[in-house]
Amino acid sequence: WEDADFSQGVGTTWYQEYSTLSSTQNPLVRDVEAKIEKYLKTPYIAKWTLKVTWEKVPAYPSWQDDTRTNTYQAVLTTDRDHSFALLLYQDGGMRWNYTELAAGNVLIGFS
């Protein structure tokens, strides 16, 4: 995500934190739990979830081309014992050509 460039005023970042302190859960949290249970075949009840959305963001350096933008999300979640990251991309996938990015080492993930 470090290759996103907001310096030309193009693109927006949004985030929302979901703390699961009551029995009433947000539909997004229930969806995240269901995806983890489905794909990892393990029971999961989130204690905390963070959704970050990068909307219509150009790659660095944006002054070269701010028309090829990406919209993507990272959803981080934990049950206090295990943590997961769901990386979601717009239809059509990543639109940046990583071979043209200024940085040669492109990483996607979390630590």
Side-chain angles (χ1 to χ4, degrees):
W1 306 309
E2 70 182 55
D3 286 327
D5 186 359
F6 295 94
S7 67
Q8 302 300 311
V10 177
T12 307
T13 304
W14 311 89
Y15 71 92
Q16 186 163 2
E17 179 182 15
Y18 302 88
S19 184
T20 313
L21 300 175
S22 67
S23 61
T24 306
Q25 288 187 346
N26 183 282
L28 177 114
V29 174
R30 287 195 304 266
D31 185 48
V32 167
E33 291 171 339
K35 281 180 174 39
I36 291 169
E37 289 181 2
K38 176 181 178 183
Y39 295 113
L40 299 178
K41 308 282 191 249
T42 185
Y44 183 73
I45 299 173
K47 298 293 183 197
W48 177 86
T49 302
L50 175 70
K51 176 180 71 173
V52 182
T53 303
W54 292 264
E55 183 178 27
K56 297 180 182 173
V57 178
Y60 177 84
S62 67
W63 58 267
Q64 286 183 344
D65 180 7
D66 67 1
T67 61
R68 195 171 11 165
T69 63
N70 280 301
T71 296
Y72 50 99
Q73 288 183 323
V75 179
L76 309 177
T77 185
T78 185
D79 66 0
R80 295 195 182 115
D81 289 322
H82 300 91
S83 299
F84 300 96
L86 287 75
L87 305 174
L88 311 167
Y89 296 90
Q90 66 197 11
D91 287 342
M94 182 58 79
R95 292 185 181 164
W96 297 338
N97 182 345
Y98 68 88
T99 63
E100 295 175 2
L101 295 176
N105 300 336
V106 179
L107 300 174
I108 296 176
F110 83 112
S111 173

